Amino acid sequence: MQIKTMQAAILVEQKQPLVIDEVQLPDRLEYGQVLVKVHYSGICGSQIGEISGVKGPDNYLPHLLGHEGSGVVLEFGEGVTSVQPGDHVVLHWKKGQGIEARPPKYQWQGKQLNAGFITTFNEYAIVSENRLTTFSKEYPMRLAPLFGCAVTTGIGVVTNNANLKLGESLVVMGAGGVGLNVIQGAALHNAYPIIAIDIFDNRLELAKQVGATHTINSRSRKDWQKQVRNILENKGVDVFVDNTGDPEMIAEGWKLTQNKGRTILVGVPVKGKKTQLYTLPLHFGKIITGSHGGNGDPSEDIPRYMLLSKLGKLNLSNLITETYNLSEINQAIEQIKNGSLSGRCVIEFVPE
């Protein structure tokens, strides 16, 4: 294999900054593996959760991170048929078409460094074929990472999980990267009203730009539930989407959802945290369900959503509010956690 080493951000210990260091690549690609030169990587809330340990102890430390990115194919192993060297690809965490290859075996400080089917916090990535989708070389490489998770999850929540109908109402709790795309998806479905709730005004301002008809800061408005009911004229909301994973917010969202409505859970509670629900409405058509990345197929969804972006029906340029290099990744993570970033940020490996 032509590439021998690379710089990467490594999760060595939970609740600690990532370590930036040189990593050694294996000598050859195995069946179904593809070597990609990463150009841009997004940072998703899932990685923040991994670093923070929200699901409990991590049994695979140390390991690489990142599950949405864009890049160029350099080489591929036996069996790969869907990509060629020079192809521009979206790197995505959900399975698409192609081979599910074994995760690569990197080396760091003389020991094996764990990695999954896809990682993007690294200059190069050995990726399973079914985690790659090609796209036109005319499409901006900087925007493409959003299709690896944020866009496909957000729009998938609306179309696949909520089955949102024209004119239905929707509340989004948490207007981060996924929440903003839930809002865009709802706007594409002509939902009304589309109510965005967050604790950061900068995110709520961005939510307005991508389709929110109403915004509420739940930190400054302790009676945010009352405000939601006023906007809905004391009716329940058709669809409530929770991106926070906060058990209290999940319970409040369930209460606000109308009798035939849907409560969709995207965020994951910290391990051990529980919520309490009054379940009688379940027997009469009210629904609560979890979303697994929007429950879509990236091989089919990404080309369709990219077309919407090209036609100007998806506003992605405004969603990327900051660009960092790999050495600044811990700074980027902290700014996501403290809310100073209004939208998505990307790590830039190869400037356009």
Side-chain angles (χ1 to χ4, degrees), residues 158 164 182-191 194 210-212:
V158 171
L164 188 70
V182 170
I183 291 166
Q184 293 212 76
L188 285 171
H189 284 73
N190 291 310
I194 302 171
V210 298

Side-chain angles (χ1 to χ4, degrees), residues 59-266:
N59 297 321
Y60 299 96
L61 296 174
H63 63 77
L64 299 181
L65 288 167
H67 73 197
E68 62 173 23
S70 63
V72 175
V73 173
L74 299 181
E75 302 179 41
F76 58 84
E78 183 182 353
V80 174
T81 60
S82 63
V83 297
Q84 295 291 326
D87 282 351
H88 287 200
V89 288
V90 175
L91 293 79
H92 45 79
W93 66 274
K94 287 209 73 181
K95 293 181 182 181
Q97 297 173 4
I99 298 167
E100 173 115 310
R102 290 194 297 181
K105 297 178 181 178
Y106 299 108
Q107 293 286 316
W108 177 59
Q109 296 185 350
K111 298 180 181 179
Q112 182 172 321
L113 177 64
N114 292 316
F117 302 107
I118 167 182
T119 63
T120 61
F121 293 179
N122 24 266
E123 292 180 301
Y124 298 89
I126 296 175
V127 184
S128 181
E129 182 188 17
N130 65 356
R131 264 64 173 195
L132 298 172
T133 297
T134 60
F135 65 93
S136 169
K137 294 179 182 179
E138 297 176 357
Y139 193 83
M141 192 73 81
R142 184 171 178 267
L143 299 182
L146 298 181
F147 295 94
C149 178
V151 171
T152 46
T153 298
I155 298 179
V157 164
V158 171
T159 58
N160 301 323
N161 300 126
N163 295 311
L164 188 70
K165 298 178 178 64
L166 290 171
E168 286 192 314
S169 57
L170 181 138
V171 173
V172 179
M173 174 61 72
V178 170
L180 291 168
N181 284 289
V182 170
I183 291 166
Q184 293 212 76
L188 285 171
H189 284 73
N190 291 310
Y192 187 86
I194 302 171
I195 306 171
I197 306 174
D198 205 286
I199 60 174
F200 300 111
D201 287 331
N202 56 344
R203 291 182 180 174
L204 293 172
E205 187 59 39
L206 187 52
K208 292 179 186 176
Q209 296 178 29
V210 298
T213 61
H214 301 76
T215 60
I216 302 172
N217 187 314
S218 57
R219 176 178 284 171
S220 59
R221 289 296 301 264
K222 302 300 183 183
D223 63 341
W224 63 269
Q225 300 95 327
K226 180 179 179 181
Q227 194 171 358
V228 169
R229 292 190 180 96
N230 288 340
I231 295 169
L232 295 170
E233 299 179 347
N234 289 320
K235 300 175 184 176
V237 67
D238 293 306
V239 176
F240 187 99
V241 179
D242 177 75
N243 297 305
T244 69
D246 184 307
E248 181 180 345
M249 295 305 177
I250 292 170
E252 292 298 326
W254 173 249
K255 292 176 187 176
L256 287 168
T257 304
Q258 59 106 335
N259 289 338
K260 297 288 185 179
R262 290 85 77 198
T263 303
I264 313 296
L265 308 184
V266 180

Side-chain angles (χ1 to χ4, degrees), residues 290-312:
S291 175
H292 182 63
N295 292 80
D297 180 343
S299 299
E300 296 181 1
D301 295 342
I302 289 173
R304 291 190 294 111
Y305 298 161
M306 276 197 172
L307 176 60
L308 291 176
S309 175
K310 291 175 183 178
L311 294 173

Side-chain angles (χ1 to χ4, degrees), residues 10-50:
I10 306 165
L11 179 59
V12 178
E13 184 178 352
Q14 290 178 306
K15 301 180 182 178
Q16 296 298 320
L18 303 180
V19 173
I20 314 299
D21 205 355
E22 186 174 83
V23 171
Q24 184 177 351
L25 281 72
D27 293 330
R28 65 179 184 86
L29 293 172
E30 296 186 12
Y31 180 81
Q33 292 180 341
V34 181
L35 177 64
V36 177
K37 170 59 182 170
V38 179
H39 283 223
Y40 290 91
S41 171
I43 301 178
C44 182
S46 295
Q47 284 87 65
I48 306 297
E50 284 186 77

